Amino acid sequence: MTSLAAARLPESEQPLPVVRSVDDLRAQVAAWHRDGKTVALVPTMGALHDGHLALVRRARELADQVVASVFVNPTQFAPHEDFDRYPRDEAGDSRKLASAGCHLLYAPTVRAMYPEGFATAISVGGPAEGLCGTFRPQMFGGVALVVTKLFLQAQPDVAVFGEKDYQQLMVIRRFARDLDIPVRVEGLPTVREADGLAMSSRNAYLSADERARAPELNRALLDAASALAGGAEAATVLEAVRARITAAGFGSIDYVELRDADTLVPVTRAERPARLLAAAWMGKARLIDNVPVLPA
Amino acid sequence: MTSLAAARLPESEQPLPVVRSVDDLRAQVAAWHRDGKTVALVPTMGALHDGHLALVRRARELADQVVASVFVNPTQFAPHEDFDRYPRDEAGDSRKLASAGCHLLYAPTVRAMYPEGFATAISVGGPAEGLCGTFRPQMFGGVALVVTKLFLQAQPDVAVFGEKDYQQLMVIRRFARDLDIPVRVEGLPTVREADGLAMSSRNAYLSADERARAPELNRALLDAASALAGGAEAATVLEAVRARITAAGFGSIDYVELRDADTLVPVTRAERPARLLAAAWMGKARLIDNVPVLPA
């Protein structure tokens, strides 16, 4: 092999180009747009797993060029939450993104995102009310702020988010519509481990024993969704989910709720498409999961 | 004259095209951009006077095509304020805009701007604190929301606002920067009547006697700005302004303040470019005005 051949690595092994400034990001996206190419954005907080990579692969189906952002956003963490210990591994993330076919990594600094004198906040009601909005009151305002910024920095045609954060997806759709942000928002079904546990960067906080117990959350939700789709009343079914995951070793349960699939208004029975959502603590990890409820 | 010649009115007498939906607005702006033309937006609440028309003429200097929006935005009025009686005259506004060289009127309905389920709000600190932010706590959040929407609906290259609403201009610059909205924000010095009164749609609320007294606000500010530029201390100078406009017949004085020209932080002396700002009531009209203070 010549050294030239060695330099020509397959696309999946090329190092991923990275930009850190809005100007560099916009220059690249504008160049793609001038060439008539469409652009998708996959916003992440890094600590990438196969769920994120599925978003990148979906983005490649939806657009010609894919930008992934990696930014652990301080404004969506409360002071007592895990901002400082949230896992960070840019080199590893970059390799994974390249292997999934991503074309550009956007990894800005906190200072670039929130410069001196930053004074603007966004709040969302409606779908942001209740569920995680009750237990993490800081979160959706922070998500709305950083996603608005990422959308307006990158100006992609489409952005892809996972249904694992279903409430977040509905919140993003709502403020993107309300603010007339010209980006299409696409959701992708949750990617799961073989035993059903929803992939999450926070699964890294689980001990081996906790990891073995954690899939019971998804199993309980799936069984409950079947009962609800058959017309069962939510109150009884949700109580059974709580009992079952408590028996499996979950500690504090933040919520188990049935909501309308589009508006996230609470419902007592699934008379049209609904969503069953839960958040509960396993050891030091707050796990969330949700499943569709489609009445027959 | 033939009827054909009669149909070919000079540009200034052609009826102004109007769009009412975001889709129609975006289609026109996108067509201009495809043709390599730049686009300026002039957001207004209608009730147009020569100050607005100066914004349109400035917009023509800055861009190839000019869109003016006319929308009396309910979210920036408190319940007790003058949203219902705010003057509305679309036909008159349209004629004036055409005469100033505007190319398109965007006049959406309240329902189109704030559809069913609208749930998003924007808040701004920094330059929005104090001054009008104290006396009209609802206003700058409402301005930030509607201007963000107008910017993202129209996607112009540049937008033009009057310095008559100086605090508003600084607030718009701040949230546009903070949210990375890709629009350049330009300010234009206040347009005044021959006697110095700042042009304002609310001047229509003045009786003939009040109208005759109102210019004293500007005169007092100009004299004070000279003293401040010469190094005088703000406290004494501002007190003199209050006494003088009270003597001229102004009733309640909301504020007379000296602020840094860029950050709007309160200052006690003009050691670098500052701004002298005031709001006071003359009869039923709340009048605002401001002047630059440029230390020698």
Side-chain angles (χ1 to χ4, degrees), chain B residues 60-74:
Chain B
R60 284 203 65 154
E61 294 169 5
L62 294 168
D64 300 316
Q65 301 288 330
V66 176
V67 181
S69 62
V70 169
F71 181 65
V72 185
N73 174 38

Side-chain angles (χ1 to χ4, degrees), chain A residues 22 26 112-113 115-127 145 148-150 152-153 155 174-182, chain B residues 22 26 112-113 115-127 145 148-150 152-153 155 174-182:
Chain A
V22 175
R26 284 185 176 159
M113 290 293 273
E116 178 77 22
F118 195 96
T120 305
I122 298 178
S123 61
V124 190
L145 185 59
T148 296
K149 285 176 65 70
L150 291 169
L152 298 180
Q153 289 173 344
Q155 300 172 54
R174 186 67 61 99
F175 74 71
R177 182 203 72 164
D178 286 354
L179 298 181
D180 300 289
I181 301 177
Chain B
V22 175
R26 285 185 175 159
M113 290 293 273
E116 178 77 22
F118 194 95
T120 305
I122 298 178
S123 61
V124 189
L145 185 59
T148 295
K149 285 176 64 69
L150 291 168
L152 298 180
Q153 289 172 344
Q155 300 172 57
R174 186 67 61 99
F175 74 72
R177 183 203 71 165
D178 286 354
L179 299 181
D180 300 290
I181 301 177

Side-chain angles (χ1 to χ4, degrees), chain A residues 263-288:
Chain A
T263 63
L264 287 189
V265 167
V267 292
T268 55
R269 207 183 274 279
E271 283 161 354
R272 36 162 275 121
R275 201 87 187 179
L276 178 60
L277 309 100
W281 291 79
M282 174 62 80
K284 283 197 275 288
R286 182 177 183 275
L287 301 183
I288 63 175

Side-chain angles (χ1 to χ4, degrees), chain A residues 154-176:
Chain A
Q155 300 172 54
D157 302 280
V158 61
V160 191
F161 296 87
E163 287 185 354
K164 194 268 201 165
D165 299 289
Y166 190 83
Q167 187 181 16
Q168 171 177 282
L169 175 62
M170 295 298 115
V171 169
I172 291 169
R173 289 215 161 112
R174 186 67 61 99
F175 74 71

Side-chain angles (χ1 to χ4, degrees), chain B residues 48-69:
Chain B
L48 302 182
H49 50 65
D50 284 350
H52 297 103
L53 303 187
L55 300 176
V56 171
R57 286 188 290 267
R58 177 68 181 138
R60 284 203 65 154
E61 294 169 5
L62 294 168
D64 300 316
Q65 301 288 330
V66 176
V67 181
S69 62

Side-chain angles (χ1 to χ4, degrees), chain B residues 12 31 61 71 79 97 110 141 261 279:
Chain B
S12 63
E61 294 169 5
F71 181 65
L97 289 168
V110 171

